[in-house]
Amino acid sequence: MKLYTIFKQSLKAIFTNKGRSFLTTLGIVIGIGSVIALISLGTGVKSSISDQISTLGTTNITIMPGAGFGGDSSNTGEAQSGHPGGGPPSFALTASTLTKADLESLSDSSKHPQIKLVTGEISASSIFKSSSGDQRYTIIGTSDSYADIQHLDADKGIFFSQQAVASSAKVIVLGSQLSSDLFGDNNPVGKSLILEGMDYEIIGVLNEADANGFTNPNSQAYIPYTAASETFKAENFNSLTVQAESESAIAAVKEDIQATLLANHNITDASLADFSVSSSADLLSTMNGITDMLTSLLAGIAAISLVVGGIGIMNIMLVSVTERTREIGLRKAVGAKMSDILGQFIMEAVLLTLSGGILGIGLGILVGKVIEPAIGFAPIVTSGAILLAVGVSSIVGLLFGVYPAAKASRLNPIDALRYE
């Protein structure tokens, strides 16, 4: 009953000065709104990246030349152009040491029963005459299993076969966008395409596929890696992609790959490996760590405005104590205790910041909705972010309301009644 009375008196005091109460909460509204907006943006980015990485395949493992991040490659030189269509680009400035022997050894199902499929990628580029003029497009030299690993389906014609790979057949499959750029709405299957001076037969056009953030399969062309070796004079692969039998087998398959390639390359010390092995889960973990750190940093910067808002509340509450000195003296003269005065002023501060926090949540959600079309992904407001906002705003009100409340509760009733 006593708490209800304090609550009712606090609400009355707040609504008595509506303009001042609104200005008091404005700093909290902006602070909480900024924190909610930035956290929701960070969560949205994290979800968007996760969705894009998942298109690489949850059971896919990528093998790149070089030592990878944080290591030193023992084989430096000029890298082959481009990057693979099945995984992230390599940033190591090294010549590829991934050979056809590596692909063949990993393709032996009797020795590697937990490996489902393997493919290699030779990445290059070539210029074609498109509807908008000469354009450079990525060419992926690969094997027939690439389509299954990357979930690519033919819309017209077919993807090339193992026989085409074995015979170095000059056949080419076009991504949907590339086909549209070169031939418009016409069916190009059966037509010829000049690739680096060589005549290639178009045998298929792929259905539109999801881009994974690293490559766009719709604007690429695919040829047998044996033909790519001849056309682009590239002996080794830019990358290998291995598909494990299941997600639970990924760790074992990575160890198997490591051991096999170390033996193939005559390397006894794993720290000196001239290749790196990573799964989609590894990449996702790295990206999540980066986005979490950036989100926390931005939210921390936005939270500074909460401190400013809290100081504003304390200042207004101190002014309120001065203005209501006679009221406080009268209440104490008729029997109000120090705890009653203390409780009312703390309650007023908490109510002001809590209402500011609720309005700030609405502002943060609104900001996310407004900027969504511009940023290309949906900000995600989580229940945790909302609870954090409500909790923080209440704590700010409590902390910055204690001093004014304590000052009010310590006023001498006689001096307060005589105050003008």
Side-chain angles (χ1 to χ4, degrees):
M1 187 65 182
K2 182 178 179 181
L3 183 62
Y4 173 72
T5 302
I6 292 174
F7 176 76
K8 188 167 65 173
Q9 290 171 340
S10 299
L11 278 181
K12 183 179 179 181
I14 290 172
F15 282 103
T16 300
N17 297 283
K18 299 182 183 67
R20 186 172 66 188
S21 297
F22 172 74
L23 292 174
T24 302
T25 60
L26 190 58
I28 300 298
V29 172
I30 295 172
I32 292 295
S34 301
V35 171
I36 288 291
L38 289 172
I39 290 178
S40 66
L41 283 173
T43 307
V45 168
K46 186 175 179 178
S47 176
S48 177
I49 291 173
S50 178
D51 290 343
Q52 292 186 30
I53 290 177
S54 67
T55 64
L56 296 175
T58 56
T59 57
N60 288 358
I61 299 169
T62 303
I63 309 164
M64 303 295 293
F69 298 107
D72 297 320
S73 174
S74 58
N75 237 340
T76 58
E78 185 179 356
Q80 287 174 274
S81 62
H83 56 81
S90 171
F91 297 99
L93 298 176
T94 101
S96 177
T97 55
L98 302 175
T99 65
K100 294 180 179 64
D102 292 330
L103 175 65
E104 292 169 0
S105 62
L106 291 174
S107 301
D108 189 341
S109 58
S110 62
K111 294 182 180 178
H112 310 286
Q114 290 183 300
I115 293 179
K116 184 178 180 180
L117 293 169
V118 184
T119 189
E121 297 94 26
I122 295 175
S123 180
S125 66
S126 189
I127 297 175
F128 297 126
K129 291 186 180 297
S130 70
S131 56
S132 56
D134 288 349
Q135 297 285 335
R136 184 173 291 276
Y137 294 92
T138 299
I139 311 297
I140 302 295
T142 187
S143 61
D144 57 303
S145 57
Y146 184 90
D148 292 328
I149 291 176
Q150 301 302 331
H151 307 292
L152 301 177
D153 300 313
D155 177 36
K156 302 179 182 71
I158 59 172
F159 202 82
F160 52 80
S161 64
Q162 174 58 36
Q163 182 179 357
V165 176
S167 62
S168 302
K170 300 301 186 291
V171 292
I172 187 168
V173 178
L174 306 180
S176 58
Q177 183 61 52
L178 176 55
S179 174
S180 177
D181 290 347
L182 300 185
F183 298 97
D185 295 330
N186 298 321
N187 185 357
V189 174
K191 297 181 179 180
S192 295
L193 194 64
I194 303 300
L195 181 61
E196 299 299 304
M198 295 187 179
D199 193 21
Y200 275 75
E201 179 188 357
I202 301 171
I203 62 170
V205 176
L206 299 177
N207 280 312
E208 185 175 354
D210 294 331
N212 57 38
F214 300 103
T215 58
N216 182 3
N218 302 307
S219 59
Q220 298 179 158
Y222 306 88
I223 62 177
Y225 71 82
T226 46
S229 292
E230 296 177 10
T231 302
F232 296 102
K233 306 296 187 263
E235 290 299 321
N236 294 343
F237 294 107
N238 290 96
S239 72
L240 301 176
T241 302
V242 174
Q243 187 177 80
E245 285 286 351
S246 63
E247 289 187 40
S248 60
I250 287 177
V253 171
K254 286 174 68 176
E255 292 181 4
D256 188 11
I257 293 169
Q258 185 88 1
T260 301
L261 296 191
L262 286 173
N264 286 357
H265 298 182
N266 297 317
I267 299 173
T268 55
D269 186 351
S271 65
L272 301 179
D274 55 1
F275 59 89
S276 59
V277 183
S278 62
S279 65
S280 298
D282 297 329
L283 181 58
L284 182 60
S285 176
T286 301
M287 297 305 296
N288 283 346
I290 294 172
T291 55
D292 286 346
M293 181 178 64
L294 290 176
T295 301
S296 299
L297 177 63
L298 292 173
I301 293 172
I304 295 174
S305 60
L306 286 175
V307 178
V308 176
I311 293 172
I313 285 178
M314 183 171 65
N315 289 336
I316 295 297
M317 293 299 293
L318 286 171
V319 171
S320 180
V321 170
T322 303
E323 289 181 350
R324 296 159 63 186
T325 298
R326 285 179 62 82
E327 174 198 332
I328 295 167
L330 182 60
R331 291 184 60 197
K332 296 188 77 172
V334 296
K337 299 177 182 178
M338 287 182 63
S339 60
D340 298 327
I341 305 298
L342 183 68
Q344 180 179 343
F345 276 84
I346 289 179
M347 179 68 75
E348 288 180 25
V350 170
L351 285 174
L352 285 171
T353 52
L354 189 57
S355 59
I358 294 172
L359 291 172
I361 292 170
L363 176 63
I365 294 173
L366 179 61
V367 168
K369 293 293 184 183
V370 169
I371 66 175
E372 181 179 339
I375 59 180
F377 63 87
I380 299 174
V381 180
T382 63
S383 57
I386 292 175
L387 291 174
L388 177 65
V390 173
V392 167
S393 60
S394 300
I395 292 171
V396 167
L398 184 63
L399 291 177
F400 287 94
V402 166
Y403 175 65
K407 182 178 180 181
S409 68
R410 289 196 298 266
L411 284 175
N412 186 298
I414 296 174
D415 293 336
L417 285 171
R418 294 174 61 186
Y419 181 81
E420 294 294 338

